[in-house]
């Protein structure tokens, strides 16, 4: 079969969209497929924190580049915009144990390049007047921020089209026969290269190529309030990482932090766990007391992927020429556009600006290449 | 304690369901938002408030009396915000009892658990947007009914009543009785449509008679009735002054308007029951078998929330749901005769109800008539033009439209705008509304004050899970 496309990217989350965009800009004929709509899974329902203080230390150099990309997204994304807003980030400790954890984590992240300084509670309240009393220590990172993640699909769409990417929504790929013939309900699609960008579904996708790549599914809960008068102006978390708070320009406050709900790959994010809902909003109200007066309007869930060592899966699929994989990036929304860019560089035969995260380390067994 | 059956919603369907279930030997809890059971149609007047006992009152009182005598636990004035349990369990686990988180009338949180759940959540009113519909002085027909029935309050002195369906004439007649002047009734249905509905309505002579009484009242008061007409604009600076109906300008200080009823499916959507789009039933409705079972085990739906069929059909549907639940739970093996009697009553009432529901179904011409700059989603200020822009930019489902425009993401969560937005999006994409899907159901069912759910807690007691690796 003659390949119509130079590359087929499967999965239109932030990873797939960014990779497809930069491949097309690099001159390739690209098809981007999603079984649902563009950026309606993790990449459209996440908390939109563009953060250094929740990012794993190893990813901070990537996140710093990506932060810059988000802040001037319209310039490289054909005007596409997720209303990325730069603001200071605070990670606070209310107890001695949290303070100790914060000190250690801030040090490691600082060594990795994040400009985090430790300040006391009073200084933190100057930066964030909405912050409760009783903070023992705070990590302050001037480079932080947030975006409206629900706009991600809209933001990428026009750029993808302008770059000539063929976007196919509501087309689930069911398998890959041979190199590389994608089986879909809309017929087969042939491409010379394939990029697996399936979020928590990467495990299934890798299996199409005979590769066993275990991917853990995190079921993250989020809660949003009605519009409020200004109650805070930073991105706020606690040292454990289990709170993320921000107030958007429209006044709504988003409460997250990775509290786990009920769901799975097959059924998606099904329902909040009541005890985790309660724990999450209590942590939020403890940290920003003005939230007590807010009304909760909606909660929702999304699925986040994690590899065995919680580091990304980005690089070639071992043993199968021209097959690539991208995903499982911790705080992956923050780093997403940059990860897509460097993978595209590698696929285009250039040296990526920063090293990829090859998956050889994660493979348990592998059948012969197709 | 775990109840056998919880009933959510205390309208005619819910009252009858709870009564039937409790009389059948189940431990039953009924949860209702209003201060007293009754629902929209049989809304009870507030204590110490004397209104003339009309027909609705008498039927409502009968259902209320039976409920009170049934032994069911009744929580009124409570706001149910959380739903869980049932099928909402981790992968591989068996279903658990349903759980409903609520705030009592005094704001205290409580939870009800039950093995089976009957949803009798009623409807929201549909208002097809038109220029000026967000002006103070413009209210829904259902809201007007609440004012009139529960509080004896008039929405204005000179009122235009507009929209579709029998509620139009009921509200107009009640306004007259209350002493308001009705400047006009603007009925989207033509005389011909009413005539066509007659044969089906004949099955319910009582309804026909009731309708005739309302009409006679309007005739006697020389209220102009504009048939096959619709409000084109509501005007005024800070409050309503004038209502435009095409070329005609009508001075008024209130406009009561409603274009039919939309089943409230938040709960069935939250539990991930299967739904189907049926315009003649009011829009998206849960898929039910012949015995009011949804696709989720031990979850039932009855009354207008399961498809608009009117107050007369609701109690029978509630009883069928209760009898089925009793049987499914193994509490009461057989009441086959009762079931078939109620099923027959339901079928009769449904025919008349269906004729009314058809008249109240969404009217495509009204959607087409909405000017581009008219606000559709009032919570988020999204206009028709913005929706069509999103459609052109690639938004192809309701959930995607939310992401592109925030339409339906405000405090009402699309209850007000969902239908109009769906119809506009479908038209713009050249597909049917059914192809657009529906908004994912999520808690809270209603905005819930954080303070009321937080409770007293110590920071140290928040069970913080292990942090992510550094
Ligand atoms: C609730 C939540 C909150 C989060 N908060 C933050 C945060 O604040 N900051 C941050 O940096 N990160 C956050 N994250 C993480 C971040 O969202 C993810 O790391 C990132 O979006 C992953 O992008 P992705 O493209 O790999 O996956 P996804 O966005 O999930 O995309 C995968 C795509 O693959 C498609 N697909 C699957 N199977 C098939 C198939 N067979 N055929 C075709 N297509 C298929 C899916 O439909 C989906 O669109 C959060 C995650 C969640 C869930």
């Amino acid at each position: 079969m003659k390949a119509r496309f130079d590359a087929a990217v499967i999965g239109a989350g932030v990873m797939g969209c960014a990779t497809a965009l930069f491949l097309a800009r690099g001159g390739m004929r690209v098809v981007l497929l999603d079984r649902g709509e563009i950026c309606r899974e993790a990449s459209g329902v996440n908390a939109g924190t563009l953060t250094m203080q929740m990012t794993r230390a190893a990813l901070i150099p990537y996140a710093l580049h990506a932060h810059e990309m988000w802040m001037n997204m319209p310039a490289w994304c054909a005007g596409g915009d997720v209303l990325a807003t730069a603001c200071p980030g605070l990670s606070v400790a209310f107890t001695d144990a949290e303070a100790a954890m914060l000190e250690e984590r801030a040090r490691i992240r600082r060594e990795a390049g994040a400009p985090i300084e430790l300040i006391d509670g009073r200084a933190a309240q100057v930066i964030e007047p909405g912050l409760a009393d009783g903070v023992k220590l705070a990590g302050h990172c001037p480079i932080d921020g947030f975006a409206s993640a629900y706009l991600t699909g809209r933001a990428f769409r026009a750029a993808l089209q302008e770059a000539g990417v063929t976007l196919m929504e509501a087309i689930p790929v069911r398998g890959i026969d041979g190199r590389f013939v994608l089986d879909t309900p809309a017929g087969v699609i042939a491409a010379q290269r394939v990029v697996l960008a399936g979020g928590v579904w990467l495990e299934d996708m890798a299996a199409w190529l005979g590769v066993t790549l275990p991917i853990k599914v995190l079921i993250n809960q989020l809660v949003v309030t009605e519009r409020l008068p200004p109650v805070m102006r930073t991105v706020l978390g606690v040292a454990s990482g289990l709170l993320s708070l921000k107030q958007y320009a429209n006044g709504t406050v988003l409460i997250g932090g990775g509290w786990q709900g009920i769901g799975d790959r097959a059924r998606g994010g099904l329902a909040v766990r009541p005890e985790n809902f309660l724990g999450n909003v209590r942590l939020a109200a403890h940290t920003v007391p003005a939230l007590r007066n807010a009304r909760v309007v909606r909660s929702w869930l999304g699925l986040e992927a994690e590899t065995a060592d919680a580091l990304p899966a980005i690089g070639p699929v071992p043993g199968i020429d021209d097959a690539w994989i991208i995903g499982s990036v911790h705080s992956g929304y923050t780093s997403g556009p940059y990860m897509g860019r460097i993978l595209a560089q590698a696929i285009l035969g250039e040296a990526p600006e920063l090293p990829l995260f090859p998956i050889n380390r994660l493979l348990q067994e592998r059948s012969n290449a197709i | 304690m775990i109840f056998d059956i919880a009933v959510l919603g205390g309208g005619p369907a819910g009252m009858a369901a709870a009564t039937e279930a409790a009389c059948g030997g189940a431990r039953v809890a009924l949860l209702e938002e209003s201060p007293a059971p009754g629902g929209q149609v049989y809304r009870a007047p507030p204590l110490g408030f004397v209104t003339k006992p009309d027909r609705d009152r008498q039927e409502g009182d009968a259902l209320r009396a039976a409920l009170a005598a049934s032994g069911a636990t009744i929580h009124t004035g409570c706001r149910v915000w959380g739903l869980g349990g049932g099928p909402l369990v981790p992968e591989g686990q068996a279903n658990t009892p349903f759980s409903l988180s609520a705030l009592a009338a005094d704001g205290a949180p409580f939870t009800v658990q039950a093995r089976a759940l009957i949803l009798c959540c009623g409807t929201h009113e549909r208002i097809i947007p038109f220029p000026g519909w967000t002006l103070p002085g413009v209210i829904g027909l259902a809201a007007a009914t609440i004012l009139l029935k529960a509080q004896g309050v008039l929405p204005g002195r000179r009122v235009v009543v507009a929209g579709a369906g029998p509620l139009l004439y009921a509200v107009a007649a009640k306004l007259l009785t209350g002493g308001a002047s009705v400047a006009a009734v603007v009925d989207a249905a033509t005389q011909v449509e009413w005539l066509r509905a007659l044969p089906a309505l004949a099955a319910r002579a009582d309804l026909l008679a009731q309708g005739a009484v309302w009409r006679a009242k309007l005739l006697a008061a020389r209220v102009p009735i504009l048939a096959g007409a619709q409000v084109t604009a509501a005007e005024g600076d800070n409050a309503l002054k004038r209502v435009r109906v095409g070329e005609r300008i009508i001075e008024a200080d209130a406009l009561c308007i409603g274009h039919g009823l939309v089943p409230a499916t938040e709960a069935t959507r939250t539990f991930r029951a299967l739904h189907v789009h049926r315009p003649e039933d009011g829009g998206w409705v849960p898929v039910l078998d012949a015995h009011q079972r949804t696709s989720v085990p031990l979850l039932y739906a009855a009354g207008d929330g399961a498809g608009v069929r009117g107050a007369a059909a609701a109690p029978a549907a509630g009883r069928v749901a209760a009898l089925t639940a009793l049987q499914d739970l193994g509490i009461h093996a057989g009441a086959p005769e009762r079931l078939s009697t109620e099923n027959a009553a339901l079928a009769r009432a449904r025919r008349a109800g269906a004729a009314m529901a058809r008249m109240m179904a969404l009217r495509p011409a009204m959607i087409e008539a909405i000017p581009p700059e008219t606000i559709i989603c009032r919570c988020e200020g999204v206009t028709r033009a913005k929706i069509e822009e999103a459609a052109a930019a690639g938004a192809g489902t309701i959930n995607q439209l939310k992401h592109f425009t925030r339409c339906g993401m405000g405090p009402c969560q699309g209850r007000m705008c969902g239908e109009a937005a769906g119809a506009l999006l479908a038209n713009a994409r050249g597909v049917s509304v059914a192809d657009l899907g529906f908004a994912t159901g999520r808690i809270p069912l209603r905005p819930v004050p954080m303070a009321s759910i937080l409770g007293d807690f110590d920071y140290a007691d928040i069970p913080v899970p292990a942090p992510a690796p550094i």
Side-chain angles (χ1 to χ4, degrees), chain B residues 104-134:
Chain B
D106 63 0
F110 69 99
T111 302
V112 165
Q113 284 194 300
R115 294 157 66 202
L117 175 59
I118 304 178
L119 298 168
C120 303
C121 302
T123 55
H124 318 301
E125 185 155 40
R126 174 191 299 124
I127 299 181
I128 301 297
F130 52 90
W133 72 288
T134 52

Side-chain angles (χ1 to χ4, degrees), chain A residues 8-362:
Chain A
V9 180
I10 311 175
V14 66
M15 301 296 170
C17 286
T19 308
L21 180 63
F22 294 116
L23 285 178
R25 295 246 174 101
M28 285 192 175
R29 287 166 307 160
V30 180
V31 59
L32 172 62
L33 299 112
D34 201 286
R35 62 174 197 167
E37 298 110 42
I38 181 171
C39 293
R40 280 267 313 136
E41 296 290 351
S43 302
V45 305
N46 69 76
T49 316
L50 305 174
T51 176
M52 301 305 136
Q53 298 202 72
M54 285 172 79
T55 290
R56 291 204 62 184
L59 302 182
I60 281 178
Y62 302 79
L64 286 167
H65 282 289
H67 189 278
E68 209 178 305
M69 287 179 80
W70 281 122
M71 292 307 154
N72 57 34
M73 185 179 196
W76 58 265
C77 202
D81 197 0
V82 291
L83 308 178
T85 306
C87 70
L90 288 176
S91 175
V92 303
F94 288 105
T95 65
D96 291 336
E98 285 175 352
M101 186 195 292
L102 181 61
E103 251 174 285
E104 191 204 348
R105 293 190 159 216
R107 179 180 51 75
I108 297 171
R109 289 193 169 106
R110 199 167 39 239
E111 284 164 13
I116 299 170
E117 51 160 359
L118 291 173
I119 56 178
D120 64 14
R122 204 163 289 277
Q125 278 177 322
V126 173
I127 296 167
E128 177 51 271
L131 183 62
D133 295 335
V135 168
K136 299 208 152 161
L137 188 69
H140 168 225
C141 182
I143 304 178
D144 221 313
F146 56 87
S148 295
Y150 57 83
L151 293 173
T152 315
R154 192 182 83 175
F156 269 109
R157 209 168 204 285
L160 289 165
Q161 268 159 356
E162 197 184 277
V165 173
T166 304
L167 174 64
M168 299 178 79
E169 291 172 283
I171 305 289
V173 176
R174 297 182 290 213
I176 300 178
D177 316 314
R179 308 196 33 172
F180 293 103
V181 180
L182 281 51
D183 170 29
T184 83
V188 295
I189 292 164
Q192 272 167 9
R193 300 168 190 79
V194 66
V195 181
L196 309 181
V200 296
W201 297 276
L202 272 184
E203 185 173 313
D204 306 337
M205 292 187 179
W208 298 336
L209 297 176
V211 173
T212 304
L213 176 69
I215 298 287
K216 190 175 153 197
V217 180
L218 307 179
I219 306 129
N220 299 341
Q221 301 184 170
L222 292 175
V223 177
V224 70
T225 71
E226 65 189 334
R227 294 170 187 240
L228 305 172
V231 294
M232 60 184 298
R233 61 188 194 198
T234 60
V235 165
L236 199 49
V238 292
S240 62
L242 283 148
L243 178 68
S244 79
L245 274 181
K246 67 201 67 93
Q247 184 168 28
Y248 285 92
N250 68 8
T252 59
V253 174
L254 187 53
I255 304 172
W259 292 70
Q260 295 297 289
I262 298 168
D264 49 72
R265 263 187 209 112
R267 298 178 298 171
L270 206 59
V272 297
R273 272 181 203 275
E275 67 276 21
N276 287 355
F277 179 82
L278 188 62
N280 199 180
V281 294
R282 281 181 166 174
L283 201 52
H286 181 83
T287 308
V288 176
L291 287 177
R292 285 187 163 269
N293 305 321
R295 291 191 309 166
V296 169
V297 167
R298 188 174 175 90
S299 63
W300 71 92
L301 305 98
L303 305 185
E304 184 174 3
E306 195 175 275
T307 59
D309 62 4
L311 283 170
I314 305 178
V317 176
I320 304 171
D321 289 348
D322 297 325
W324 304 80
I325 193 164
I326 181 167
S328 282
V329 182
H330 199 257
S331 282
Y333 190 71
T334 303
S335 312
Y338 188 71
M339 296 301 190
R341 166 178 280 174
I342 60 175
L343 179 66
Q345 287 167 345
I347 298 173
L348 289 164
E350 303 160 15
E353 283 170 27
L354 286 177
L356 304 181
F357 297 82
I359 62 171
N360 310 53
R361 69 187 202 279
L362 300 166

Side-chain angles (χ1 to χ4, degrees), chain B residues 203-248:
Chain B
R204 287 293 314 271
D206 51 338
L207 286 187
L208 270 187
Q210 171 85 79
V213 171
W214 291 333
R215 290 245 185 185
K217 198 159 203 161
L218 297 177
L219 211 62
R222 295 169 181 275
V223 173
I225 296 181
L226 315 177
Q230 68 187 64
V231 170
T232 39
E235 297 172 352
D237 293 330
N238 304 311
L240 182 73
K241 291 260 160 52
R242 295 169 302 277
V243 174
R244 245 177 227 280
V245 180
E247 297 294 293
R248 197 191 285 247

Side-chain angles (χ1 to χ4, degrees), chain B residues 354-438:
Chain B
M356 281 298 110
R358 263 196 300 282
M359 208 169 305
M360 290 195 287
L362 186 99
R363 289 166 186 265
M366 285 194 149
I367 297 288
E368 272 149 41
I370 301 173
E373 291 313 316
T374 304
I375 289 199
I376 307 298
C377 167
R378 66 194 295 177
C379 298
E380 298 294 328
V382 182
T383 60
R384 170 180 186 158
K386 286 277 176 235
I387 290 174
E388 290 175 342
E389 203 180 292
T397 70
I398 280 290
N399 284 308
Q400 209 174 7
L401 180 70
K402 289 175 65 178
H403 277 194
F404 275 52
T405 63
R406 288 193 61 85
C407 184
M409 278 167 74
C412 98
Q413 289 289 299
R415 272 187 283 275
M416 284 289 267
C417 63
E419 275 231 312
L424 286 169
L425 183 62
N427 289 351
R429 302 280 299 185
V431 299
S432 79
V433 176
D435 296 329
L436 302 174
F438 48 84

Side-chain angles (χ1 to χ4, degrees), chain B residues 54-319:
Chain B
D54 60 7
R55 201 195 145 84
D56 280 357
R57 274 290 304 288
Q58 289 161 14
E59 286 184 10
D61 286 345
L63 285 166
R64 266 189 289 272
L67 174 66
S70 73
T73 302
I74 300 165
H75 295 280
T76 48
C78 69
R79 169 170 285 225
V80 175
W81 63 270
L83 295 175
L88 306 180
V89 290
E91 200 172 8
Q93 287 185 18
N95 285 15
T96 59
F98 294 92
S99 88
L100 298 92
S101 310
L103 301 177
D106 63 0
F110 69 99
T111 302
V112 165
Q113 284 194 300
R115 294 157 66 202
L117 175 59
I118 304 178
L119 298 168
C120 303
C121 302
T123 55
H124 318 301
E125 185 155 40
R126 174 191 299 124
I127 299 181
I128 301 297
F130 52 90
W133 72 288
T134 52
L135 263 184
V138 180
I139 66 168
L141 287 176
T145 319
I146 297 177
L147 284 180
L148 288 161
K149 278 197 193 174
Q151 284 146 33
V153 170
L154 292 173
R157 302 184 148 276
R158 195 177 148 77
V159 188
V160 173
V161 184
L167 206 49
L168 211 55
Y169 297 92
V171 168
K174 288 214 162 70
L175 282 167
L176 287 177
T177 311
S181 108
V182 177
V185 172
V186 186
D187 189 347
T190 58
Q191 305 281 15
V192 178
E193 281 180 69
W194 279 103
L195 284 175
R196 279 213 200 101
L198 273 181
L201 288 178
R204 287 293 314 271
D206 51 338
L207 286 187
L208 270 187
Q210 171 85 79
V213 171
W214 291 333
R215 290 245 185 185
K217 198 159 203 161
L218 297 177
L219 211 62
R222 295 169 181 275
V223 173
I225 296 181
L226 315 177
Q230 68 187 64
V231 170
T232 39
E235 297 172 352
D237 293 330
N238 304 311
L240 182 73
K241 291 260 160 52
R242 295 169 302 277
V243 174
R244 245 177 227 280
V245 180
E247 297 294 293
R248 197 191 285 247
I249 295 173
I250 307 166
E251 308 276 322
D253 60 356
L255 168 61
C256 304
I257 188 160
H259 302 108
L261 302 170
V262 184
T265 54
E266 296 98 319
T268 42
R269 281 186 282 128
T270 301
F271 283 117
R272 303 281 175 112
L274 288 178
H275 288 73
V276 52
H277 190 262
R278 268 204 298 265
E280 69 278 17
D281 281 359
W284 286 102
V285 289
V287 173
L288 298 182
D289 73 0
H291 298 94
Q292 312 293 131
R293 291 185 187 96
T294 70
S295 62
V296 174
L298 299 178
L299 183 69
Y300 311 81
D304 281 353
V308 179
R309 285 293 179 268
R319 286 184 198 112

